[in-house]
Amino acid sequence: MALQTGAAQENSDAPTTKRLRWATQKVKGNRGASKRASILGRLHKGSSEKKRESAGGESVRTDLGVIPEAQEGTTDDAVDGKGPRTIYFNTPLPPEALDENGHPAVQYERNKIRTAKYTPLSFVPKDLFFQFQNIANNYFLLTIVLAFFPMFGVSNPGLNAVPLIVIVVLTAVKDAIEDTRRTILDSELNNSPVHRLVGWTNVNVSSDSISLWRRIKKATSRALVSVLRLVFRIGNKSKDNGEKGKSYADRAMDRQRPSLETHRQSVYSQRSSFNSARENIQMTPVASPFPRQNDTEFLDVSKTAKPYVAPTREPADLIDRTMAASGNARFHQDYWKSIQVGDFVRIYNDDQVPADVIILSTSDPDGACYVETKNLDGETNLKLRQSLRCGRSIKHARDCERTEFRIESEAPQPHLYQYSGAVRWNQKSSNNGAAQEMVEPISINNILLRGCNLRNTEWALGVVLFTGVDTKLMINQGITPSKRARIARELNWNVIYNFVILFAMCLVAGIVEGVTFGKRNTSIVFYEFGSIGKSGALNGFITFWAALILFQNLVPISLYISLEIIRTAQAYFIYSDVDMYYEKLDYPCTPKTWNISDDLGQIEYIFSDKTGTLTQNVMEFKKATINGIPYGEAYTEAQAGMQKRQGIDVEKEGAKARQEIAEARAKHLRETRKLHDNPYLHDDELTFIAPDYVMDLSGESGLEQQQANEQFMLAIALCHTVISEVTPGDPPRIEFKAQSPDEAALVATARDVGFTVLGSTPHGLRLNIMGHDREYTVLNTLEFNSTRKRMSAIIRMPDGKIVLFCKGADSIIYSRLKKGEQAELRRTTAEHLEMFAREGLRTLCIAQRVLDEEEYQNWNREHEVAAAAIHEREDKLEVVSDMIEQDLMLLGGTAIEDRLQEGVPDTIALLADAGIKLWVLTGDKVETAINIGFSCNLLNNDMELLLFRIEDNQLSTAEAQLDEHLQKFNLTGSEKDLKAAKQNHEPPAPTHALVIDGDSLKLVLDDTLRQKFLLLCKQCKSVLCCRVSPAQKAAVVDMVKNGLEVMTLAIGDGANDVAMIQKADVGVGIAGEEGRQAVMSSDYAIGQFRYLQRLILVHGRWSYRRLGETIANFFYKNIVWTLGIFWYQIFCNFDMTYLYEYTYLLLYNLAFTSVPVVFMGVLDQDVSDKVSLAVPQLYRRGIERKEWTQKKFWLYMLDGFYQSVITFFVAWLVFRTANATTGSGQDIGDRERFGVYVGCAAVFVNNMYILMNCYRWDWLLVLLTTISILLIWFWTGVYSSFASSTIFYKAAPEVFGQASYWAVTCLSIILCLLPRFTIKSLQKIYFPYDVDIIREQVRQGKYNYLDDVDGNDAARSEDSSTTSSANPKSSKHNPVYNDEDQRPIYPPSVAPTATSRNPRSHYGSDGTEYTRHRLSMEQPFEPPSRPSMDAPRPSFDRMRASMDRTRPSFEASYDFTSASLLTRLESSHSFSPTNTKMQDVSSALQ
């Protein structure tokens, strides 16, 4: 709203608009002018969204008129564009905004973004920097450098460098592949087209030439991208496109998948606007950026523009009517990366917004436009945005030239729902040239944020406010992190321990050798011809470094090479798993970060988005209750879950219900066509299946019910803010665009039953009711917000009556019903709503009130005063709205299903059985999140919901609530409590769940309250955080990750999830309808949420167990080999003489022992994938991190120490007492032949030891182990047969021909392996792990039933879900054991816990009082179900039967949809008389 500086304009404002939805309609006369004059006023003050602050940083709050301008001597933040900014348009910069060279002093960020970690020029140094953060790599580099000095006696230093070179190159190639796709996608995004104003001067940026360094970087990037595209193009042509799963690998499947609205051109955008045509708006025929067919076509609109004739009127706008346009400016198609702060841009329908843009004007005469914000907050519903009032006359490029204004803005900040700014200009008069300073506030409702899509609007014109990393989207995304697996981080400590051991060994060698060579008058002087060091001390120093080279295998470089190979193979197996292939999108599970697969096996907390991740974001109207009669047939997942807990065979019951629903659908359509041939009803889109409703609508149950049904649907068709779109055809199709998907579902159902919203008129709505067109005048719309929880529309009916229709939350509507009336209807409706809610449906109540003319007119005057207020407008409107929404008459209620993705409830139950805690972090409303929580089994009726809402935004209030809730668990929030929480990995009892909104979350994430909030959340079975921003999501993940020191996983599908995906240890992106940002930034990309169970419970558990065992065996085998050399040094004064022949040293880790241990890490398997899903409790060892511990490391090191002693000293005892010779008298006592005695036994023992530690002995592993063992004998025989082996010549026949050799070898093997074999036998017999018991049961055939299931089906959630923590089998395949001894007995970790409290669950019970599932509900049970009514209502009767069994627990809950609570709820907002209250409010407003 344009305001004169220093003047109060509140009383001069025109009356407010009656309906925000009218923003797209042209209204004639004074009434239309009044409407358009005030629509912006309602939005400038800020909608309810302004209250949804996020916790990414403190907002810069500034009052209008006092936004600071850039001052001379600005701070660093101001210079780099990070502080508050002032942007000038067609006005020279003031001197204080210029530097000494006359250029702009403030440098703003470019709009080019980079999510990739590397650039072509920075890849090599940056990747090497990351790799050499590994301590072991620095050690290996040191040994390579030392090896090049001859004094240390390394015969081939170049060969010594090969292992490190190989591992560095392989790792670099892997990193390059991971980052390549991000680089290509960044390039495509940065080069997306947009229409930018050219031919004018943007004074806010410098136009200097690009520096030489930046030109080099740009040229390098372009060359690399071109090469990569060529490579991928060639690869794509050479591959078979018909092969499933390959197309994603070829094209990365990271491209944005536009939603249905993107593919279907809006009718609104196709027709020409009358106003646009009249005003000669140039509509450039350019397609949306995604996809573009030709990015090089640019249209010069200046050639077709007509001469501009200035109008005579002088509106209060930004255009300077006294200024002449040059005619050079035009909107030119350019790239996103070229956009700069202060540019004018024009955005077309379905285009994605390239930067944060302030809206100046739109194709709508009232300046309204609609945006889809799914990339920001995950919501696909449309939101209304408004242009600045002073900019609505700016339509053309020439208009932009003639503007002269400045924008004063706050600094870039992460709050998605908050912005403060102002536009200032001098309004000049064409008559006398006098100028008057004007100002208009700018709120978040005037801004299009980067990443949003413009919908249902032909075009929008604006100016760029923030670019690149300064945009809210990029601030919330953060920087792409470099992730390392937890085992890799912990491995550094083990390497350090080995360094300490190595240092001690080298120190001993140096001291002994120095002392020995420092002695005089010894035999050494006769056999040693001097030394390099010339002195004992220097000799000892040189020996220290020589020992470092000789004993270097104690820190095995081969381990790092092997780990890279293993992780690469694991990533390939994950990608190749057909059970995680999503055929609908041709989308396999794709690892994008290859080196963290073992982290998947240690996840304790999962943080999930809701919309598009747990749900399909598809709302379907399922049921209704009208005048006390329930309608609708449906069988929801929540209902199936409830029946499963009751011991019912849900498979059979579900099949029966689906058959009944199919029959009801056919009858519904048949009866509907008889009643009215609705041309807008499409059979395949029908969701409200209620043949009895159609029959009652025809009058079968009497006139009263018929009128009630008609009035109910009429209320739904009139009380909304949707936009209808008619697609011509035969039959025609009407679709609805709404700010809420629930609202669209409601209006669509009204359409299906004959109450069709055809569109808007200048005065209201046009409906088609049962074939007859009618027009209704909309007097006022009182919109929904999270505080009101209701929406109302005041309608003037065709007969002149004024009716208020209200819909909202059941508790809100019930509190506003007229006292003392409809008692029976209230009770019946509340009971029906209770049943609907228990089915996981989202319920609303519908009510109405008839108003008399005088009462309405009195109220409307107060409403107009409140709507015209500048300060506290929202609060005043809420008070006035509350005043009229009283004494309502109940019509009924609705039930809508937000459809979950397939298998979500079962997947969540399976993950919970595995001990994993799942939190939901969503931008949706609290009520929506709670409903979804019930639908997907996160919440149940036995839980106490802790609703955390801080109304006064005070830390003291938040702390008091935290203390109150902590007392329920006997906690105080102390450090002692936190320490105990870190050590406790058990899942919490299913007694409490916490729900918190974004405003309250901002408070509890304060440093003083964070620890208490964390401890409270740990005690809750489920946590739902609602109305949270991306930055808050990341903050919650970070709080749990670092506060409890646990492994976390974040999963989402939109750009609003990127921050938490990057913050978590493992990030998973879902390829859905919300763009590509989550997939681009994730570590793993999957097609559906249900695949998460297989990714974690199968591949994650396997990878973690394999890696833990592989690393331990690697350290073991290297210490056996290295200590053998050390023992030999005792007998040669530590002069670093090799015990083994040099080729043994080279081949030990390369060939003799490397293959079995690598295949252990790649292929070893304790139980199959089906058993892993059938017994998810096996995963808990990963949560407790028991597969790789420091205790295990030291035990394996001790075992290696023992075996090195045996392999060396058993052979030494043979050679100790006598000379060793062959039968022909040849001496075999030299070190090489003695090394054969020791080396062959060590290799045999090492490989057998690894085989003993493998769980799965298949033919391949046994074959590879056998080959590795025989290889040392083969190599010895072949190599020693050549004379080039010098003193090793003929060693094989000489040694192998000795009986002492075979005796030593056999004895060493037995003595080495006997302790390990004995301990493992005792452990498995007397102290078995969970997996040992399960493996034994598998061998007994107790899991053979899993083999009868198709592999793909077994991996799906519906067949692998559990009904309790102790019943790992799906009810569909649950075998019946005649003998109780044949029933699988699960391991100790499956015994009753906090999540499985029934003692019988240890024997396979489903956690209820029933030990077996009932075959069907057809069998009688007590108490018997009550018949619903005379008409058959199968769905109602099914739900009634379930409710009768569980009603007591439900009534004890705190859910306000409980019938027992609703019927007790009296109207707490009724006032009598109404006029008295109105007078009080009027005086308050005055």
Side-chain angles (χ1 to χ4, degrees), residues 150 212 218 232 246 426 601 795 820 900 1035 1129 1139 1358 1439 1462:
L212 177 62
K218 289 168 68 71
F232 286 128
K246 297 299 183 182
N426 292 324
I795 309 293
L900 297 173
Q1129 302 305 312
L1139 167 63
E1358 58 266 27
M1439 200 59 210
L1462 281 179

Side-chain angles (χ1 to χ4, degrees), residues 368-425:
C369 65
Y370 291 86
V371 294
E372 191 176 59
T373 60
K374 62 185 180 183
N375 281 333
L376 293 174
D377 53 22
E379 297 183 8
T380 56
N381 50 290
L382 301 183
K383 294 182 175 60
L384 177 67
R385 293 293 181 262
Q386 202 73 30
S387 69
L388 295 178
R389 193 175 184 188
C390 59
R392 294 179 187 176
S393 60
I394 303 174
K395 306 286 186 181
H396 310 276
R398 55 179 175 269
D399 294 333
C400 299
E401 280 190 289
R402 301 171 68 239
T403 59
E404 191 172 288
F405 62 99
R406 71 180 186 273
I407 292 176
E408 297 173 348
S409 169
E410 68 178 15
Q413 45 97 347
H415 303 325
L416 293 178
Y417 311 113
Q418 195 177 81
Y419 175 78
S420 297
V423 56
R424 294 179 182 273
W425 76 100

Side-chain angles (χ1 to χ4, degrees), residues 1094-1105:
R1094 188 170 180 86
L1095 180 64
I1096 293 177
L1097 301 183
V1098 177
H1099 293 283
R1101 195 182 70 83
W1102 279 351
S1103 297
Y1104 173 56
R1105 199 204 62 76

Side-chain angles (χ1 to χ4, degrees), residues 45-97:
K45 191 65 181 177
S47 67
S48 61
E49 291 178 334
K50 72 178 182 179
K51 299 179 181 179
R52 289 152 45 185
E53 299 176 3
S54 55
E58 290 300 319
S59 171
V60 179
R61 298 181 180 270
T62 54
D63 295 329
L64 180 63
V66 293
I67 297 176
E69 299 183 12
Q71 301 293 330
E72 188 172 4
T74 55
T75 63
D76 293 339
D77 283 344
V79 172
D80 62 13
K82 298 300 182 182
R85 59 182 60 181
T86 301
I87 308 171
Y88 296 85
F89 297 87
N90 297 318
T91 302
L93 293 181
E96 62 268 17

Side-chain angles (χ1 to χ4, degrees), residues 230-241 250:
L230 179 62
V231 170
F232 286 128
R233 192 178 299 116
I234 296 173
N236 289 340
K237 291 180 180 179
S238 64
K239 293 184 179 180
D240 182 11
N241 292 331
D250 300 337

Side-chain angles (χ1 to χ4, degrees), residues 711 714-715 718 755 761 763-769 772-779 794-803 805 853:
Q711 193 70 6
L714 183 62
L718 292 174
F755 295 76
T761 68
H763 304 288
L765 291 172
R766 186 166 56 90
L767 270 62
N768 181 285
I769 299 178
H772 304 284
D773 287 357
R774 298 179 186 174
E775 185 172 323
Y776 295 83
T777 302
V778 182
L779 300 177
I794 302 177
I795 309 293
R796 187 179 294 278
M797 308 299 283
D799 59 2
K801 289 184 179 179
I802 300 176
V803 181
F805 294 104
E853 188 71 31

Side-chain angles (χ1 to χ4, degrees), residues 162-315:
V162 170
L164 181 61
I165 295 174
V166 169
I167 190 172
V168 169
V169 170
L170 287 178
T171 305
V173 170
K174 174 182 70 68
D175 293 340
I177 294 174
E178 288 179 0
D179 212 55
T180 294
R181 301 193 188 280
R182 291 193 183 104
T183 301
I184 293 177
L185 292 169
D186 286 344
S187 177
E188 291 179 356
L189 188 65
N190 290 325
N191 289 284
S192 298
V194 66
H195 287 79
R196 182 173 72 96
L197 187 70
V198 298
W200 75 293
T201 302
N202 184 352
V203 299
N204 302 283
V205 295
S206 177
S207 58
D208 288 347
S209 60
I210 301 175
S211 65
L212 177 62
W213 173 243
R214 189 170 155 197
R215 289 183 181 181
I216 294 174
K217 290 196 299 180
K218 289 168 68 71
T220 306
S221 299
R222 282 195 296 266
L224 179 63
V225 169
S226 300
V227 171
L228 291 175
R229 284 177 175 167
L230 179 62
V231 170
F232 286 128
R233 192 178 299 116
I234 296 173
N236 289 340
K237 291 180 180 179
S238 64
K239 293 184 179 180
D240 182 11
N241 292 331
E243 187 176 355
K244 285 187 177 182
K246 297 299 183 182
S247 59
Y248 173 74
D250 300 337
R251 65 179 186 274
M253 277 293 288
D254 288 327
R255 301 180 184 273
Q256 183 179 18
R257 296 184 173 276
S259 61
L260 181 62
E261 294 87 345
T262 306
H263 290 294
R264 178 185 52 76
Q265 287 292 334
S266 170
V267 177
Y268 182 85
S269 64
Q270 289 179 346
R271 67 173 185 266
S272 299
S273 170
F274 172 77
N275 293 309
S276 296
R278 184 184 63 187
E279 296 172 7
N280 189 29
I281 301 298
Q282 294 296 328
M283 293 302 299
T284 306
V286 178
S288 301
F290 302 102
R292 293 279 184 180
Q293 298 299 326
N294 189 348
D295 290 350
T296 60
E297 295 181 2
F298 299 98
L299 183 63
D300 188 356
V301 298
S302 63
K303 296 179 180 179
T304 60
K306 295 181 179 180
Y308 175 70
V309 179
T312 57
R313 59 186 177 90
E314 296 180 1

